[in-house]
């Protein structure tokens, strides 16, 4: 991932948000969507994506559907009910973080917090 230190902490939130917007997605589709949304600024690698998806699956936030397409097998990921609830929580946490960061780096935003 480009600028990986800044994005690492947000990867789970990014994945949850994308899966919340779409019924189901497969890995390559997720990487391409992130790339498109960020105009090429963020490139998710398989090495970052799949461990995060497996962790979400282990936490029962994501479920996997295996579909055979011709001779290929594709894994689709979708949110569970718990995953949908976690998405709301993670997005609220991220919004609070971004608000605080804006206040820290820009005095104009600091005034709006009070």
């Amino acid at each position: 991932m480009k600028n990986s230190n800044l994005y690492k902490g947000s990867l789970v939130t990014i994945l949850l948000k994308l899966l919340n917007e779409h019924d189901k997605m497969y890995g390559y589709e997720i990487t391409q969507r992130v790339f498109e949304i960020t105009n090429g600024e963020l490139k998710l690698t398989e090495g970052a994506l799949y461990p995060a998806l497996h962790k979400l699956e282990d936490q029962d936030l994501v479920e996997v559907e295996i579909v055979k397409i011709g001779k290929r097998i594709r894994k689709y990921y979708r949110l569970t009910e718990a995953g949908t609830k976690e998405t709301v929580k993670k997005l609220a946490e991220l919004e609070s973080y971004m608000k605080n960061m804006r206040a820290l780096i820009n005095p104009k935003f600091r005034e709006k917090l009070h």
Side-chain angles (χ1 to χ4, degrees):
M1 285 187 290
K2 188 175 184 180
N3 301 319
S4 63
N5 289 335
L6 293 174
Y7 291 109
K8 271 184 190 172
S10 302
L11 179 57
V12 167
T13 306
I14 292 166
L15 295 175
L16 292 172
K17 175 67 172 152
L18 280 176
L19 291 172
N20 192 54
E21 291 175 349
H22 303 275
D23 179 44
K24 61 184 179 181
M25 298 180 84
Y26 58 95
Y28 180 75
E29 181 180 21
I30 293 170
T31 63
Q32 291 306 297
R33 189 69 189 119
V34 168
F35 187 79
E36 291 168 9
I37 290 170
T38 64
N39 293 316
E41 285 290 315
L42 180 56
K43 298 175 185 175
L44 283 181
T45 64
E46 289 181 14
L49 175 66
Y50 289 106
L53 286 170
H54 294 152
K55 184 177 178 183
L56 291 171
E57 185 181 4
D58 290 344
Q59 295 171 339
D60 294 322
L61 300 176
V62 167
E63 59 188 12
V64 177
E65 176 186 349
I66 298 173
V67 177
K68 190 171 183 180
I69 301 172
K71 294 182 180 183
R72 302 182 74 207
I73 292 178
R74 181 174 285 166
K75 287 185 177 183
Y76 284 94
Y77 299 87
R78 76 175 55 196
L79 291 180
T80 62
E81 185 176 329
T84 301
K85 291 176 183 175
E86 185 68 11
T87 302
V88 172
K89 179 182 164 193
K90 289 286 190 190
L91 290 173
E93 288 173 1
L94 183 59
E95 186 59 41
S96 176
Y97 170 79
M98 291 181 347
K99 182 174 84 173
N100 288 323
M101 289 304 292
R102 281 191 294 269
L104 287 167
I105 63 174
N106 187 338
K108 291 179 185 178
F109 286 107
R110 203 173 303 148
E111 295 167 7
K112 294 178 183 180
L113 286 176
H114 292 43

